[in-house]
């Protein structure tokens, strides 16, 4: 059998009997036995990662070949892909191993059934945390920490070979950072500031051009009675933005700095973007919405293309997949 199977005690009662994990290195955890199946090699990992990133969606052979081999496919790419699918089926847990990956022209899909993915559970918990943040910030902190605890490393670590996994890893990372922003805003709404200062300092160093982390750090330092250090954090943010993007701070960060200079109280209700910045930030939100709309449209068109290929395959009798 390719890949490895290790033993691990079940830790997350929220997942199903089998859990496909992509929030870190790709693996499959069987809660019934405690076994953890890990693909061997980058191509096996990329194949499982692509299928688990789009459960229930048919991924065309051409798309999977591109994901595994890029611009240097083997001489018989469909046969080579079939061999990888067969090995992956043998690796997956239980008697239903071969049934997890279903052949459906023009490609393959992963059927979850009662199984789950850690990405699905992260999305659910993150949405619950965001919904609770304004009215129940302490609850939001608890839920968001549960969501973020699902991450074991960079999304799809070791599987990012092609466009599908790369795009999914970027999307998941953006959602993780957004969840962190909501978490620390909720933390500042519900408790003392000092405990989160160190964590926000670490985040601003790890993500030097993400302005919201700098903004939250400035608020935390002010709340902790350290306004001079908050202004120092603003100066660091300016340098990092100039070095990383060649731009100055946006209106939200500038407004926060001006509020600190004027010794304006930073109450819990003022953790959101300062009013002076709303006009410019609305334009940024519009841009983000347009990007999300276009990405959604691309996904729809991709699925439609794959459905048309399936119909063409049935009409013309294309090569048989196994």
């Amino acid at each position: 059998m390719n890949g490895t199977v290790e033993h691990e005690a079940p830790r997350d009662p929220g997942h199903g009997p089998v859990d496909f994990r992509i929030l870190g290195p790709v693996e499959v955890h069987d809660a019934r036995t405690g076994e953890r199946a890990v693909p061997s090699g980058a191509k096996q990992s990329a194949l499982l990662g692509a299928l688990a990133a789009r459960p229930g969606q048919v991924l065309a052979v051409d798309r999977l070949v591109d994901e595994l081999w890029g611009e240097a496919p083997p001489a018989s790419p469909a046969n080579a892909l079939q061999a990888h699918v067969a090995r992956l089926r043998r690796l997956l847990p239980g008697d239903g191993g071969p049934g997890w990956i279903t052949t459906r022209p023009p490609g393959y899909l992963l059927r979850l059934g009662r199984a789950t993915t850690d990405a699905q559970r992260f999305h659910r918990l993150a949405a619950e945390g965001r919904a609770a943040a304004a009215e129940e910030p302490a609850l939001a902190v608890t839920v968001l920490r549960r969501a973020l605890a699902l991450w074991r490393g960079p999304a799809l670590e070791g599987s990012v070979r092609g466009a599908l996994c790369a795009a999914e890893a970027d999307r998941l990372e953006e959602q993780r950072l957004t969840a962190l922003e909501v978490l620390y805003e909720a933390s500042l709404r519900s408790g003392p500031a000092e405990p989160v200062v160190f964590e926000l300092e670490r985040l601003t160093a790890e993500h030097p051009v993400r302005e919201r982390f700098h903004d939250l750090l400035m608020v935390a330092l002010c709340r902790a009675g350290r306004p001079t250090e908050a202004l120092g954090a603003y100066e660091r943010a300016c340098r990092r933005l100039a070095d990383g993007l060649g731009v100055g701070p946006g209106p939200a960060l500038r407004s926060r700095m001006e509020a600190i200079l004027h010794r304006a109280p930073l109450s819990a209700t003022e953790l959101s973007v300062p009013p002076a910045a709303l006009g410019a930030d609305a334009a940024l939100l519009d841009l983000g919405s347009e990007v999300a709309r276009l990405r959604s449209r691309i996904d729809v068109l991709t699925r439609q293309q794959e459905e048309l290929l399936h119909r063409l395959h049935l009409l013309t009798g294309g090569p048989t997949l196994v």
Side-chain angles (χ1 to χ4, degrees), residues 218 229-239 249-250 253-254 257:
M218 291 166 66
E229 292 177 58
L231 293 175
Y234 175 78
E235 294 299 326
R236 287 196 302 276
C238 291
R239 289 195 300 271
L253 210 56
R254 292 198 304 271
M257 181 270 294

Side-chain angles (χ1 to χ4, degrees), residues 231 254-264:
L231 293 175
R254 292 198 304 271
S255 293
R256 188 72 72 197
M257 181 270 294
E258 291 168 3
I260 295 170
L261 282 175
H262 290 90
R263 299 181 183 276

Side-chain angles (χ1 to χ4, degrees), residues 9-96:
R11 292 177 298 174
D12 183 1
H15 63 61
V18 174
D19 190 38
F20 289 82
R21 297 177 175 177
I22 62 174
L23 301 181
V26 175
E27 63 182 39
V28 183
H29 175 245
D30 189 341
R32 301 164 298 188
T33 63
E35 290 184 343
R36 186 166 58 93
V38 182
S40 64
K43 289 184 176 62
Q44 285 278 290
S45 185
L47 176 59
L48 179 57
L51 292 167
R54 301 289 178 88
Q57 179 178 332
V58 177
L59 298 181
V61 168
D62 289 348
R63 196 174 188 187
L64 289 171
V65 167
D66 183 66
E67 197 72 17
L68 270 62
W69 289 281
E71 297 180 357
S76 301
N79 291 336
L81 179 62
Q82 285 179 1
H84 276 289
V85 169
R87 286 195 288 272
L88 188 56
R89 282 170 169 159
R90 291 195 294 271
L91 174 67
L92 296 181
D95 296 335

Side-chain angles (χ1 to χ4, degrees), residues 236-288:
R236 287 196 302 276
C238 291
R239 289 195 300 271
R240 288 169 175 171
L241 288 166
D243 292 342
L245 299 176
V247 300
L253 210 56
R254 292 198 304 271
S255 293
R256 188 72 72 197
M257 181 270 294
E258 291 168 3
I260 295 170
L261 282 175
H262 290 90
R263 299 181 183 276
L266 299 180
S267 65
T269 59
E270 292 174 316
L271 274 168
S272 56
V273 176
L278 289 179
D281 281 357
L284 292 175
L285 288 172
D286 288 342
L287 177 60

Side-chain angles (χ1 to χ4, degrees), residues 11-15 23 118 121-126 128-129 139-151 179 183:
R11 292 177 298 174
D12 183 1
H15 63 61
L23 301 181
D118 56 359
R121 288 182 289 118
F122 169 74
H123 291 149
R124 176 178 57 80
L125 290 169
E128 290 177 9
L139 173 62
V141 169
T142 299
V143 174
L144 288 166
R145 288 200 182 277
R146 283 177 56 202
L148 291 161
L150 295 171
W151 287 72
L183 166 66

Side-chain angles (χ1 to χ4, degrees), residues 155 165-175 295:
C165 283
E168 186 67 12
D170 288 345
R171 186 178 71 88
L172 287 167
E173 175 63 8
E174 177 61 28
Q175 292 172 345
R295 284 176 174 167

